[in-house]
Amino acid sequence: MADATSIFIGAGPGGAKPQMLELRRANRHGLIAGATGTGKTVTVQGIIEGFSNAGVPCFVADVKGDLSGLAMAGSANTKTHDIFAARAKEIGYEGWAYGDTPVQFWDLFGEQGHPIRTTISEMGPLLLARLMDLNEVQEGVLTIAFHVADKEGLLLLDLDDLQAMLAHCAERADELTTTYGNVSKQSVGTIQRSLLQLRSQGGDHFFGEPALATADFLGVDDKGRGVVNILAADKLMASPKLYSTFLLWLMSELFESLPEVGDPDKPKLCFFFDEAHLLFNDAPKALLEKIEQVVRLIRSKGVGVYFITQNPIDIPDTVAGQLGNRVQHALRAFTPRDQAAVRSAATTFRANPGVDVETLITELKVGEALVSLLQPDGAPSPVERSLIKPPSTRVAPVTPQERAVMIQTDAIGTKYDALVDRASAEELLAAKADEASAAAAEQQAQDDAAKQAALQAKEDARAAKDAERARIAAERAAAAQARDAARAAANNPWNKIATSATRTATTTITRTVANEVAKQVFGAGSRRGSSAAGGIVGGIVRGVLGGLFKGR
């Protein structure tokens, strides 16, 4: 019943009032809501099949694993076959037949599909702060770390890089605080602990290279059918913040990478976010504004976003106001919150005099829904009660063997399978630290050598001074010894005796010899001759006698 411009969603009995999703309005987003077990998964499955057949690629987060059945054709040998065949006949869906859709499987953990990775830099501080539940002060420190890394050419690719960068900022806290604002080591420590928690949730699998190229989500097969990208989210649901942050990051990446196309004849890509309330639970105001901005503006990129949730009031009003196509399955009104949800849902539809929404919304059977879709002119259609068309693909998960075969044979191949670890912030900072350590060691060696040289020079000067003092002391000792020897010689008894004897002998001999000489020369009794002779003879005698006594 679909044509080249629309997708058949469902109809009333006998094919009355068929509900057609206009491809030209499919980028105006949508909501598929309803309590558990009311048929949301089958509705999503049928809509995705319609987009794929129209050549529109899709991305869907598969929380329960059921949507992996899109890869396989349904079978008549199932318990749901009779139900679906009867429904197709009831709504006049004559073209219904089993068939598959082209699928690519993805998994953040790389277990049930190709790994999906992004870099820390691409994620950015806002989404990371949301992921780690940081307060405003800690988010500010994280933003400073990103800014410093960008300014200094340090790539932030994985969690190791971010941890190294935060430690680097802590070491430079005083310097960075002066330039950018307070960078406390306490805040850095809190962020580091949050990173450890993120690792424990499997976040280290998400960050790294090769990073996802969003163009790989936009493929078609050789039949012109849009490829359905299925994210295995059953394990990811155990880390709801990682799940919601990843989905928001993916939308942001597409928003930044795709060109403006306005309202194309059909979307370039359609997103289906199951358990959509996880995007908004406990989200700070800044993040809600980011989600609202992306949802509002990504329409002009040709991307449609479809939220799937149990309760329509889980979607904030600012986002719900952007959702033009609505399929509302049954709600239960057992609690005041459920009753508020029923009233809220009733007011979101374009009124239809023949449909009491508030009453019918609690009476719908499995496979029934209240439907209001945008018409070709952009106005919402009046709400109608409709039976949802049966899907053509399997309403059950694929087996592990089937999944493995499709992963190995799809167009992605091994492009993302091997992790690439190129030089980035961690390695560069480690290299700088090694260089600084080597330079410090060299400087220390130079300082030690200079200090040793100074000590040696001081020691040499002390030795020279001691030698000079020893020389002077030796000279003084020699002089003292000479004085002592002279004093001793002067006090020697023999010297005294010799001196006295010399004097006495000299005097006696002199007189005797002088008298004899005077007698011989001047004659006896000559006094003058005796004196002259005595002087001459005395000198001679003293010299002789002195020599004799000195030798003793």
Side-chain angles (χ1 to χ4, degrees):
M1 297 177 66
D3 55 32
T5 63
S6 62
I7 297 171
F8 177 56
I9 301 295
K17 300 178 180 178
Q19 300 298 311
M20 310 297 292
L21 177 58
E22 295 292 327
L23 290 173
R24 290 189 68 249
R25 303 300 175 189
N27 65 331
R28 301 302 178 90
H29 313 316
L31 174 67
I32 303 164
T36 299
T38 57
K40 293 193 306 296
T41 299
V42 170
T43 299
V44 171
Q45 201 163 334
I47 294 175
I48 292 174
E49 290 173 5
F51 278 126
S52 178
N53 291 331
V56 178
C58 296
F59 172 88
V60 56
D62 188 12
V63 172
K64 299 182 290 293
D66 297 344
L67 291 172
S68 63
L70 283 161
M72 306 298 293
S75 171
N77 299 321
T78 60
K79 61 183 180 180
T80 59
H81 172 72
D82 293 341
I83 297 173
F84 290 155
R87 188 185 301 175
K89 183 177 180 180
E90 184 177 1
I91 64 176
Y93 187 16
E94 297 178 356
W96 177 66
Y98 289 121
D100 62 1
T101 58
V103 164
Q104 292 176 166
F105 288 106
W106 302 88
D107 184 359
L108 259 67
F109 304 103
E111 297 172 356
Q112 301 182 66
H114 300 291
I116 294 181
R117 302 185 188 92
T118 186
T119 65
I120 292 290
S121 294
E122 289 175 342
M123 176 66 77
L126 175 62
L127 293 184
L128 276 174
R130 150 68 172 168
L131 188 57
M132 295 187 288
D133 198 22
L134 304 182
N135 61 31
E136 291 184 4
V137 173
Q138 295 155 1
E139 182 181 342
V141 172
L142 185 64
T143 302
I144 291 173
F146 270 76
H147 181 77
V148 173
D150 183 60
K151 185 176 180 181
E152 298 183 1
L154 300 172
L155 293 175
L156 298 178
L157 302 181
D158 53 26
L159 292 181
D160 291 336
D161 291 328
L162 184 55
Q163 286 186 310
M165 192 66 216
L166 288 167
H168 181 64
C169 288
E171 292 173 358
R172 298 171 56 189
D174 294 339
E175 171 195 346
L176 297 177
T177 295
T178 303
T179 306
Y180 301 109
N182 188 36
V183 179
S184 70
K185 294 185 178 180
Q186 291 81 358
S187 294
V188 172
T190 301
I191 299 172
Q192 295 281 36
R193 289 191 294 274
S194 297
L195 287 176
L196 290 177
Q197 293 175 354
L198 182 57
R199 283 185 187 276
S200 68
Q201 296 179 13
D204 52 339
H205 294 282
F206 180 43
F207 295 103
E209 290 186 313
L212 176 69
T214 53
D216 288 331
F217 279 178
L218 304 176
V220 295
D221 70 357
D222 53 3
K223 297 179 182 178
R225 298 179 301 174
V227 173
V228 180
N229 299 276
I230 299 178
L231 174 69
D234 50 347
K235 183 178 178 181
L236 188 59
M237 288 296 294
S239 306
K241 285 188 178 179
L242 182 59
Y243 171 70
S244 61
T245 305
F246 161 72
L247 296 180
L248 181 55
W249 163 79
L250 190 54
M251 283 197 299
S252 300
E253 281 295 296
L254 286 165
F255 174 72
E256 293 175 3
S257 62
L258 293 176
E260 292 279 346
V261 294
D263 288 319
D265 292 337
K266 60 183 179 182
K268 296 178 69 66
L269 177 70
C270 283
F271 271 92
F272 291 84
F273 291 161
D274 201 0
E275 301 295 339
H277 62 280
L278 295 177
L279 275 172
F280 310 104
N281 283 355
D282 301 322
K285 182 180 178 181
L287 187 64
L288 288 175
E289 291 174 351
K290 177 70 173 178
I291 296 172
E292 179 189 357
Q293 178 191 43
V294 171
V295 171
R296 184 175 67 250
L297 299 180
I298 203 171
R299 175 197 63 79
S300 63
K301 306 283 185 164
V303 177
V305 180
Y306 290 78
F307 295 99
I308 306 161
T309 187
Q310 294 184 20
N311 202 320
I313 64 175
D314 291 334
I315 309 299
D317 292 341
T318 53
V319 176
Q322 307 294 324
L323 311 180
N325 299 293
R326 293 172 177 264
V327 179
Q328 177 66 61
H329 288 271
L331 290 175
R332 310 304 179 210
F334 300 130
T335 67
R337 187 175 186 273
D338 293 337
Q339 294 166 2
V342 169
R343 290 191 296 271
S344 176
T347 60
T348 59
F349 289 104
R350 180 179 173 182
N352 185 339
V355 178
D356 184 354
V357 174
E358 192 167 343
T359 300
L360 285 177
I361 206 169
T362 61
E363 300 175 351
L364 294 170
K365 297 180 294 185
V366 175
E368 279 190 313
L370 296 172
V371 181
S372 177
L373 305 172
L374 295 179
Q375 301 176 95
D377 62 0
S381 64
V383 61
E384 294 287 352
R385 181 176 184 173
S386 300
L387 287 166
I388 302 301
K389 73 172 184 178
S392 298
T393 53
R394 181 190 295 177
V395 186
V398 297
T399 65
Q401 294 77 15
E402 291 170 336
R403 184 187 292 267
V405 169
M406 284 179 278
I407 291 172
Q408 293 170 5
T409 57
D410 65 18
I412 299 300
T414 60
K415 179 177 179 180
Y416 297 104
D417 292 350
L419 179 67
V420 176
D421 187 15
R422 62 184 173 125
S424 50
E426 182 192 23
E427 292 80 7
L428 295 175
L429 289 174
K432 287 183 178 180
D434 290 343
E435 290 177 2
S437 178
E442 183 179 356
Q443 183 62 45
Q444 184 65 41
Q446 293 176 356
D447 292 345
D448 291 344
K451 187 182 294 184
Q452 188 63 34
L455 289 174
Q456 187 61 45
K458 189 174 182 180
E459 190 65 28
D460 292 344
R462 184 182 295 111
K465 191 172 183 180
D466 290 344
E468 179 64 18
R469 287 175 177 172
R471 183 189 66 79
I472 294 173
E475 290 179 352
R476 289 177 178 175
Q481 186 176 5
R483 287 195 300 272
D484 291 344
R487 188 179 296 113
N491 295 327
N492 192 327
W494 287 105
N495 290 339
K496 292 180 179 180
I497 293 171
T499 302
S500 178
T502 299
R503 290 196 190 102
T504 304
T506 301
T507 302
T508 303
I509 295 172
T510 300
R511 289 176 180 171
T512 302
V513 173
N515 289 332
E516 289 299 324
V517 171
K519 288 177 180 179
Q520 294 296 327
V521 177
F522 298 104
S526 176
R527 185 175 294 178
R528 186 172 121 192
S530 179
S531 295
I536 295 169
V537 174
I540 295 170
V541 171
R542 281 192 299 270
V544 172
L545 290 177
L548 289 174
F549 281 98
K550 187 175 181 180
R552 288 185 63 136

